[in-house]
Amino acid sequence: MDLDAIYHWGVLSELAIAIIAFPLLFLITIPYGGRHTSERWGPSLPSRVAWFLMEIPAPAFCIWGYAQGGNSGEPASLVLLAAFLVHYVHRAIVYPLRMRSTEKRTPALSTCVALLVNILNGTINGLALAHAGRYGAAWLEDPRFWLGATIFLGGAVVNHQSDAILRNLRKPGEMGYRIPTGGLYRWVSSPNYFGEIVQWGGWAIATASGAGLAFFLLTIANLAPRARSNQQWYRATFADYPAERRALNSGVW
Ligand code: NDP
């Protein structure tokens, strides 16, 4: 198997998807979750099942890519692999199990698209760690590793805190929506997305890899348009929605 070709074309494909998705997703809001969902998108799955199916390929294919590489087992690569796997095991298993509304559904079509993208993303990031790059003991002392790891952890804290605030707006079994308050919701409507983008920005720095950069740009392409959709939805749904609250970033947008 030509791992160089898989990595090279995989990174280029993910960059191309990000470039195409960014303008497209300002026109089409992908209907996963409850708020933006629509029956026009065909058959659907329970959202908890959809989250598992969408996200589990990322850690699975990351492990596969990592195992293919000749540089696997190096100390910094193991730390980075662990960070990727912890994030995705949480997202695929813990996050859906903790969702309060069990009735929500997600279209099978958007689940399939996300699943395929996660196969690509997991594969190239696993290969980045153990084939395309070298992350030995020296990388643990490299400023890029420390800066990136700090940004990654900061983004993860914001993402988790913001998701927890949303989760606690509902009692178990409740389906409705309220205006979130506290944390970074004071300034922005989707701080969970802001945290996620910061997190993968940190990953791109900590890995200094093409795969990391492609993933960071894809996350922006996916979540920036969705943050705008959420903002528009909040303003249309709640007459008393705080007017000063921005979509994603209090300083820029
Ligand atoms: P949302 O903010 O749309 O929703 C998160 C959860 O909170 C859902 O269960 C939603 O319910 C509920 N919720 C949202 N707003 C309210 C409200 N006002 N009142 C009550 N409940 C509310 O996030 P996403 O579902 O889009 O994403 C979930 C996580 O996955 C985020 O952390 C995000 O960063 C991450 N993600 C990462 C991506 C990436 O590219 N790396 C891509 C997509 C998501 P309901 O489903 O019923 O609307």
Side-chain angles (χ1 to χ4, degrees):
M1 197 176 314
D2 187 346
L3 295 179
D4 281 336
I6 294 175
Y7 181 73
H8 179 77
W9 288 109
V11 170
L12 287 179
S13 303
E14 190 157 310
L15 285 170
I17 293 170
I19 290 166
I20 294 166
F22 186 65
L24 197 65
L25 294 181
F26 278 106
L27 303 174
I28 306 166
T29 302
I30 300 286
Y32 69 85
R35 196 167 15 194
H36 303 294
T37 202
S38 157
E39 288 180 1
R40 283 186 297 128
W41 286 70
S44 61
L45 302 163
S47 287
R48 279 181 163 170
V49 176
W51 270 105
F52 177 77
L53 293 176
M54 284 188 288
E55 303 295 312
I56 203 68
F61 278 82
C62 184
I63 291 171
W64 179 82
Y66 187 83
Q68 303 307 306
N71 312 329
S72 58
E74 293 193 331
S77 77
L78 287 171
V79 174
L80 291 162
L81 177 70
F84 192 93
L85 296 185
V86 167
H87 171 88
Y88 270 106
V89 168
H90 174 270
R91 182 69 77 224
I93 298 171
V94 180
Y95 177 79
L97 285 177
R98 295 175 84 189
M99 285 165 76
R100 295 279 162 95
S101 54
T102 51
E103 308 286 312
K104 295 288 174 85
R105 298 185 71 83
T106 294
L109 181 62
S110 56
T111 304
C112 287
V113 172
L115 183 153
L116 293 174
V117 170
N118 274 325
I119 288 175
L120 174 64
N121 190 49
T123 302
I124 61 172
N125 278 285
L127 286 173
L129 296 182
H131 172 72
R134 295 298 304 258
Y135 302 96
W139 191 252
L140 290 172
E141 294 170 16
D142 192 294
R144 286 169 292 181
F145 176 80
W146 282 107
L147 177 67
T150 305
I151 293 172
F152 180 92
L153 286 175
V157 167
V158 169
N159 177 259
H160 281 258
Q161 183 207 34
S162 308
D163 276 344
I165 288 172
L166 288 183
R167 187 164 50 245
N168 291 327
L169 290 173
R170 289 176 177 158
K171 297 192 178 70
E174 269 187 10
M175 307 259 281
Y177 295 90
R178 296 189 176 89
I179 298 175
T181 54
L184 270 63
Y185 287 100
R186 189 170 159 196
W187 295 287
V188 292
S189 296
S190 297
N192 50 348
Y193 296 172
F194 173 71
E196 183 98 26
I197 290 169
V198 169
Q199 193 178 342
W200 297 113
W203 173 263
I205 295 168
T207 61
S209 66
L213 177 66
F215 185 17
F216 174 51
L217 295 178
L218 183 63
T219 305
I220 295 174
N222 197 2
L223 295 183
R226 195 168 182 84
R228 197 184 67 153
S229 301
N230 286 351
Q231 172 85 333
Q232 290 169 341
W233 179 90
Y234 273 122
R235 287 187 171 158
T237 306
F238 298 103
D240 56 343
Y241 194 70
E244 72 284 1
R245 215 178 269 191
R246 308 293 289 270
L248 187 63
N249 178 312
S250 71
V252 181
W253 185 53

